[in-house]
């Protein structure tokens, strides 16, 4: 990229392009970590990952892993302070760290109207005026559209 000056061009920046695929999704990854509290063979009580049992139950289907390479699952919440009982594929050590990966969609942003309706000929800006709450005479949810010009 160059900038035009009176005495010539100045070099501003350079870069590379991975691809120009419009269906490419960019994700942000974060790791929730916790420490083993009590260990009994392949099962362990993990603390400091969550702080209430509702969060433990919400993330129960997600698989967990340790820094030393063990894989595991969340079995149940223990108590009221976010402790959880987990099962691993081998014996876990006290100095290990338990991780749970979380992913968030960054680009393209999730706009429900653009993903729920398949309307040909309309752009993203044209889908905003849809009214999603109307029902027709049979009680079926219908979509009404008013085009803004």
């Amino acid at each position: 990229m160059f900038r035009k000056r009176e005495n010539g061009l100045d070099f501003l920046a350079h870069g590379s392009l991975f691809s120009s695929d419009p269906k490419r999704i960019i994700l942000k990854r974060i790791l929730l970590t916790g420490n083993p509290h009590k260990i009994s063979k392949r099962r362990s009580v993990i603390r400091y990952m969550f702080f209430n049992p509702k969060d433990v139950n919400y993330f129960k289907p997600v698989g967990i892993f340790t820094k030393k390479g063990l894989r595991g699952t969340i079995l149940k919440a223990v108590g009221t302070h976010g402790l959880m009982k987990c099962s691993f594929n081998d014996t876990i050590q006290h100095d290990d760290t338990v991780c749970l990966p979380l992913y968030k969609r960054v680009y393209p942003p999730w706009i429900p109207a653009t993903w729920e309706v398949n309307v040909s000929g309309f752009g993203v800006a044209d889908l905003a005026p849809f009214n999603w709450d109307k029902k027709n005479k049979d009680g079926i949810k219908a979509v009404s559209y008013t085009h803004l010009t």
Side-chain angles (χ1 to χ4, degrees), residues 17-26 105 107-108 115:
L17 178 67
F18 288 123
S19 72
S20 60
D21 184 15
K23 294 182 182 178
R24 179 184 204 128
I25 295 175
I26 299 173
R105 181 183 182 141
Y107 183 83
W115 299 99

Side-chain angles (χ1 to χ4, degrees), residues 12 14 17 22-24 28 30 37 43-44 54 57 66 70 76 82 91 97 105 107 115-118 128 133 142 149:
L12 293 178
H14 75 280
L17 178 67
K23 294 182 182 178
R24 179 184 204 128
K28 184 193 303 185
I30 60 169
H37 180 58
R43 292 184 185 205
S44 176
K54 287 182 181 178
N57 292 329
T66 66
L70 299 177
K76 65 178 182 175
T91 305
T97 302
R105 181 183 182 141
Y107 183 83
W115 299 99
E116 291 176 359
V117 176
N118 186 9
D133 298 327
T149 55

Side-chain angles (χ1 to χ4, degrees), residues 117 119 129-136 140-145:
V117 176
V119 180
F130 274 101
N131 187 354
W132 298 94
D133 298 327
K134 293 198 174 184
K135 292 185 178 179
N136 63 8
I140 300 171
K141 202 169 195 180
V143 177
S144 65
Y145 179 78

Side-chain angles (χ1 to χ4, degrees), residues 74-86:
I74 299 172
L75 299 177
K76 65 178 182 175
V78 178
T80 61
H81 295 290
L83 298 175
M84 62 182 176
K85 189 176 280 189
C86 301

Side-chain angles (χ1 to χ4, degrees), residues 94-115:
H94 279 284
D95 62 340
D96 211 348
T97 302
V98 180
C99 303
L100 183 130
L102 296 177
Y103 298 92
K104 180 182 177 184
R105 181 183 182 141
V106 177
Y107 183 83
W110 184 262
I111 303 170
T114 61
W115 299 99

Side-chain angles (χ1 to χ4, degrees), residues 121-122 125-129 145-149:
F122 294 116
D126 293 330
L127 291 174
Y145 179 78
T146 53
H147 186 70
L148 301 175
T149 55

